Amino acid sequence: MIYLDNGATSYPKPSAVISATLNACKRFSFNSGRGGYSASVKTAEKIYSVREKIGDMFDYEPQNIAFTLNCTSALNMAIKGSVKTGDHVIISSLEHNSVWRVVNSLQDDGIIEYDIADFSFDEDETVNNFARLIKSNTSLIVCMAASNVFGVAFPIAKIGALAKQLGIRFVVDAAQAAGVISVSGVRDNIDILCAPGHKCLYGNMGTGFIAVREGVYLNTIVEGGTGSESVNPKQPDFLPDRLEAGTLNNCGILSLGAGIDYINSVGMNNIYRHELRITDCLYSGLSRNENVQLYCPRPQWKKSAPLISFNYKDYSSEKTAAELAEHNIAVRAGLHCSPLAHKFFNTLDRGTVRLSPSAFTTFRECEIFLNTLKKI
Amino acid sequence: MIYLDNGATSYPKPSAVISATLNACKRFSFNSGRGGYSASVKTAEKIYSVREKIGDMFDYEPQNIAFTLNCTSALNMAIKGSVKTGDHVIISSLEHNSVWRVVNSLQDDGIIEYDIADFSFDEDETVNNFARLIKSNTSLIVCMAASNVFGVAFPIAKIGALAKQLGIRFVVDAAQAAGVISVSGVRDNIDILCAPGHKCLYGNMGTGFIAVREGVYLNTIVEGGTGSESVNPKQPDFLPDRLEAGTLNNCGILSLGAGIDYINSVGMNNIYRHELRITDCLYSGLSRNENVQLYCPRPQWKKSAPLISFNYKDYSSEKTAAELAEHNIAVRAGLHCSPLAHKFFNTLDRGTVRLSPSAFTTFRECEIFLNTLKKI
């Protein structure tokens, strides 16, 4: 199989990730922070080491990293935990349903109102699009680091600076950036960073995290046992316990640790460079195919996540993907859970076919894909 | 290590569970329900087969089983998704913080009021304790199948019958029962069943589920991408998508499927019988030790989950556990995230030491534990 659906979840995983999973199942499947016996304590240390790896990569304190089921879960915690009745929220025009459905639900419940700031290929214009929408009751800006459909990156640091200047909380969905494009809580002024563990960070599915800057307070959407302050009828105030109720996904978390080790050993920029070259190769080949419609300029360093969207002939995106699947090429078609992005790029009617490589994608696979496409 | 902390998470896992995890990492780590390519479709089929296994075991429709991070997450979805402003809720006097903190948070937010129904060793009295608290605005009863601290089981079927008769929604936390004591959505009239996958069901940590009876509607606490109805700004109305936003923990879910297969191959009653005999052996030995304080009668078939709590000499429960840990015996001490239960049994000051065997615990281990205890 030629796998070009790493935007959904990366495959294959580095061998060290598989080993870490197996090792975790066999040696570290104990409840950390609950037991005083050696196996539980060692497990807690291993889990904490992954908080440290994440903290190091994204510039957060390790204890302020809470593990979640996925990025969606983290975004729900971040957004719902930040707003109060009467607040105004701004999101970007390319947000995934993991943000759009959340703010929509809050608006339906009469808690917030929200506006949508348009993306622009001009960074300053994008920032201005956010700035123009700010009201006296704007308490939160939520923006993705890069689009999961079109790959275009947002000027996160500039939006972060704007938010900081005005005292507005800034939440970033780094689903398609974490692990390829550098994202920093400190440098980019990101109050809360949400990311999946199973995409560009190479951990297993079922992993994600929410990273919170020191002093940023969140209400909880899930309460339960934390192994701490057990007589307290409320969720503890301190992180990570405040955001981690119940048993963690140890095997997943330790696999994520191995995924981050893999990235650090190869070098994030090296991986990103490779993937961007692959994306560039795909883009070039598609550009030369007169039956292909592309929607964005050629992917650029730090301006794009390594993924592109296209359509072919007059086929529905699903038809193109199905034909490719017949040739054992895995791509994703449709709306990619991001109707806002498709509305913005006028592709809501047919969706797009998305190509998203990983560190393991080869130029040979790229070539096979391009040649196969010509035949369908 | 002699591991007697299976109430926290079961260890070791059956070898088939480890194999299923590895197989899932290598072959089924694709986004089910999002891609049209073969690997994604096959993954979706495998995930669905686990819904079927759970459905068969607990009498729910497979599509009404949604996978969660853990039982806590499932309970939050069940409770918060069921109530509206002005509702009255009843919980038992032994509930875990995964229920108590949730209803407490809802009460603090002015949404509900709740009362606590006392457990009794007389089943009918327990049912009457719930019945007495019912008001005209009681919309929900939440009860555990068995206590995670003292092992005592609730007469779930009788409480379910009461709830059904009065049209009150009934949520059951089967954390310590699912996989050992038969629980049936149909027979026991359980509208929503929540359970972890990593305890008596032998799946990996990071797994749990919420099972919902046909026609029971839930508001959502998490919204996001579902790969379905993507243009809909709201979470889809149908299950499991309504309760499954974002990427699932495939490796965990397929490990849970293997765990259930293991239980079915050995026989749930056979496992329960073995564990209850182990518990009985522990109970007998502890009863003969004059330095031991026990809090409940001898565990009985279908009246007890296979776990017991005790204290030793005038030691804090943590001290006893620490001494046992020195001898490589893993038990859990403290409040077990269940202050209500300790309040009820008057153990809030020192907590208890909990012993919880699994299918893999041997009588030899039991004997070693009992002899070791005498020496500390």
Side-chain angles (χ1 to χ4, degrees):
Chain A
M1 171 177 61
I2 293 178
Y3 185 73
L4 292 168
D5 195 16
N6 293 280
T9 194
S10 55
Y11 183 87
K13 304 299 182 192
S15 59
V17 168
I18 308 280
S19 313
T21 307
L22 198 59
N23 199 31
C25 288
K26 290 182 176 173
R27 293 181 54 211
F28 301 109
S29 284
F30 302 98
N31 232 321
S32 57
R34 266 77 161 178
Y37 46 90
S38 162
S40 168
V41 173
K42 280 184 191 154
T43 298
E45 288 167 1
K46 291 291 277 186
I47 298 284
Y48 193 81
S49 76
V50 184
R51 298 189 207 276
E52 289 178 320
K53 291 177 209 288
I54 296 172
D56 285 348
M57 183 172 269
F58 300 101
D59 295 335
Y60 290 86
E61 296 298 320
Q63 72 277 10
N64 291 354
I65 314 290
F67 294 110
T68 61
L69 173 62
N70 49 33
C71 188
T72 302
S73 169
L75 284 163
N76 273 265
M77 288 177 180
I79 298 170
K80 293 181 176 175
S82 291
V83 297
K84 62 181 190 307
T85 303
D87 280 355
H88 176 250
V89 176
I90 306 173
I91 69 170
S92 90
S93 63
L94 305 184
E95 293 307 304
H96 188 274
N97 276 343
S98 55
V99 168
W100 186 48
R101 280 181 172 168
V102 179
V103 292
N104 218 72
S105 154
L106 288 166
Q107 183 163 274
D108 282 351
D109 290 345
I111 297 168
I112 64 155
E113 291 193 336
Y114 73 91
D115 280 305
I116 296 177
D118 278 351
F119 168 81
S120 165
F121 286 101
D122 180 289
E123 287 193 349
D124 292 335
E125 195 174 311
T126 301
V127 177
N128 284 337
N129 290 342
F130 277 91
R132 282 191 292 115
L133 294 171
I134 291 170
K135 301 179 182 181
S136 60
N137 62 335
T138 302
S139 67
L140 184 66
I141 291 174
V142 188
C143 189
M144 54 185 14
S147 166
N148 66 309
V149 186
F150 298 98
V152 293
F154 279 82
I156 288 303
K158 292 183 181 175
I159 301 169
L162 171 75
K164 187 184 180 189
Q165 185 194 334
L166 299 172
I168 296 169
R169 186 173 287 188
F170 186 38
V171 171
V172 169
D173 168 8
Q176 300 296 335
V180 280
I181 301 176
S182 157
V183 176
S184 159
V186 176
R187 182 196 65 206
D188 304 335
N189 286 297
I190 302 169
D191 293 303
I192 308 175
L193 180 73
C194 302
H198 63 100
K199 296 188 179 185
C200 314
L201 291 174
Y202 293 101
N204 287 337
M205 297 167 79
T207 57
F209 65 84
I210 175 170
V212 183
R213 285 184 80 177
E214 196 63 36
V216 171
Y217 188 81
L218 279 168
N219 292 316
T220 55
I221 61 170
V222 173
E223 299 87 30
T226 53
S228 57
E229 294 188 358
S230 286
V231 292
N232 187 348
K234 297 178 197 291
Q235 202 66 3
D237 269 339
F238 55 87
L239 290 167
D241 296 31
R242 184 162 181 79
L243 301 178
E244 282 180 356
T247 300
L248 294 173
N249 174 7
N250 289 19
C251 296
I253 291 166
L254 297 191
S255 79
L256 171 55
I260 293 175
D261 287 344
Y262 167 78
I263 293 167
N264 288 335
S265 69
V266 179
M268 192 194 290
N269 274 345
N270 292 331
I271 292 176
Y272 180 46
R273 192 173 294 113
H274 170 76
E275 293 184 17
L276 212 58
R277 281 178 183 158
I278 293 277
T279 314
D280 191 74
C281 166
L282 291 166
Y283 192 92
S284 296
L286 291 171
S287 301
R288 286 192 297 270
N289 185 327
E290 63 184 10
N291 288 312
V292 166
Q293 185 172 2
L294 286 158
Y295 300 96
C296 288
R298 185 176 292 271
Q300 280 177 53
W301 183 255
K302 303 284 183 191
K303 305 266 182 174
S304 317
L307 62 92
I308 48 178
S309 259
F310 74 98
N311 269 302
Y312 191 63
K313 293 183 178 169
D314 61 348
Y315 296 176
S316 70
S317 57
E318 289 84 358
K319 178 176 168 158
T320 305
E323 295 270 355
L324 289 167
E326 290 289 317
H327 292 82
N328 214 17
I329 296 174
V331 301
R332 183 162 166 199
L335 298 183
H336 315 275
C337 299
S338 296
L340 288 189
H342 288 282
K343 195 174 164 199
F344 189 78
F345 279 98
N346 283 314
T347 49
L348 204 49
D349 53 337
R350 65 199 292 214
T352 58
V353 182
R354 181 182 66 183
L355 307 175
S356 49
S358 84
F360 299 104
T361 309
T362 65
F363 287 95
R364 174 79 185 129
E365 289 177 316
C366 208
E367 194 184 330
I368 294 171
F369 160 78
L370 290 166
N371 288 332
T372 306
L373 184 69
K374 287 179 195 158
K375 294 180 205 152
I376 70 172
Chain B
M1 173 178 58
I2 294 179
Y3 185 72
L4 292 169
D5 194 16
N6 293 279
T9 194
S10 55
Y11 183 87
K13 305 299 182 192
S15 59
V17 168
I18 308 280
S19 313
T21 306
L22 198 59
N23 199 31
C25 288
K26 290 183 175 172
R27 294 180 53 210
F28 301 110
S29 284
F30 302 99
N31 232 321
S32 57
R34 266 76 161 179
Y37 47 89
S38 164
S40 168
V41 173
K42 279 183 191 155
T43 298
E45 287 167 1
K46 291 291 276 186
I47 299 285
Y48 193 81
S49 76
V50 184
R51 298 190 206 277
E52 288 177 320
K53 292 178 209 286
I54 295 172
D56 285 350
M57 183 171 269
F58 299 102
D59 295 336
Y60 290 86
E61 295 299 320
Q63 72 276 10
N64 291 354
I65 314 291
F67 294 109
T68 60
L69 173 62
N70 48 34
C71 188
T72 301
S73 168
L75 284 163
N76 274 265
M77 288 178 181
I79 297 169
K80 293 182 175 173
S82 291
V83 298
K84 62 180 190 309
T85 302
D87 280 355
H88 176 251
V89 175
I90 306 172
I91 69 171
S92 90
S93 63
L94 305 184
E95 293 307 304
H96 189 274
N97 275 345
S98 57
V99 168
W100 186 48
R101 280 181 172 169
V102 179
V103 294
N104 217 72
S105 154
L106 289 166
Q107 184 164 276
D108 281 351
D109 290 346
I111 296 169
I112 64 155
E113 292 192 336
Y114 73 91
D115 280 304
I116 296 176
D118 278 350
F119 168 80
S120 165
F121 286 102
D122 179 291
E123 288 194 349
D124 292 335
E125 195 173 312
T126 300
V127 177
N128 284 338
N129 290 343
F130 277 91
R132 281 191 292 114
L133 294 171
I134 291 170
K135 301 178 181 182
S136 60
N137 61 336
T138 303
S139 67
L140 183 66
I141 291 173
V142 188
C143 189
M144 54 184 14
S147 168
N148 65 308
V149 185
F150 298 98
V152 293
F154 279 82
I156 287 302
K158 291 181 182 176
I159 301 168
L162 171 75
K164 186 186 181 188
Q165 185 195 333
L166 299 172
I168 296 169
R169 186 173 288 188
F170 185 39
V171 171
V172 169
D173 168 9
Q176 300 296 335
V180 279
I181 301 176
S182 158
V183 176
S184 159
V186 176
R187 183 195 65 206
D188 304 335
N189 286 297
I190 301 169
D191 293 303
I192 307 175
L193 180 73
C194 301
H198 63 100
K199 296 188 179 185
C200 313
L201 291 174
Y202 293 102
N204 287 337
M205 296 168 80
T207 57
F209 65 84
I210 174 169
V212 182
R213 284 183 81 177
E214 196 62 36
V216 170
Y217 188 83
L218 279 168
N219 292 317
T220 55
I221 61 170
V222 173
E223 299 87 29
T226 53
S228 56
E229 294 188 359
S230 286
V231 292
N232 187 349
K234 296 178 197 293
Q235 202 66 3
D237 270 339
F238 55 88
L239 291 166
D241 296 31
R242 186 162 181 78
L243 302 178
E244 282 179 357
T247 299
L248 294 173
N249 174 7
N250 289 18
C251 296
I253 291 167
L254 298 190
S255 79
L256 171 55
I260 293 175
D261 287 345
Y262 167 78
I263 293 166
N264 289 334
S265 70
V266 179
M268 192 194 290
N269 274 345
N270 292 331
I271 292 175
Y272 180 45
R273 191 173 294 112
H274 170 76
E275 293 183 16
L276 212 58
R277 282 179 183 157
I278 294 277
T279 314
D280 191 74
C281 167
L282 292 165
Y283 192 92
S284 297
L286 291 171
S287 301
R288 287 191 296 270
N289 186 327
E290 61 185 11
N291 288 312
V292 166
Q293 184 172 2
L294 285 158
Y295 300 95
C296 288
R298 185 176 291 272
Q300 281 178 54
W301 183 254
K302 303 285 183 191
K303 305 265 182 175
S304 317
L307 63 92
I308 49 179
S309 258
F310 74 99
N311 270 302
Y312 190 63
K313 295 183 178 168
D314 61 347
Y315 296 176
S316 70
S317 57
E318 288 84 358
K319 176 176 169 158
T320 306
E323 296 270 357
L324 289 166
E326 290 289 318
H327 292 82
N328 213 17
I329 296 174
V331 300
R332 183 162 166 198
L335 297 183
H336 315 275
C337 299
S338 296
L340 287 189
H342 288 281
K343 194 174 165 200
F344 189 78
F345 279 98
N346 283 315
T347 49
L348 203 50
D349 54 337
R350 64 198 291 216
T352 58
V353 182
R354 181 182 67 184
L355 307 175
S356 49
S358 82
F360 299 104
T361 309
T362 65
F363 287 94
R364 174 80 186 129
E365 290 177 315
C366 207
E367 196 183 329
I368 294 171
F369 160 78
L370 290 167
N371 288 333
T372 306
L373 184 68
K374 287 180 197 159
K375 294 179 207 153
I376 70 173

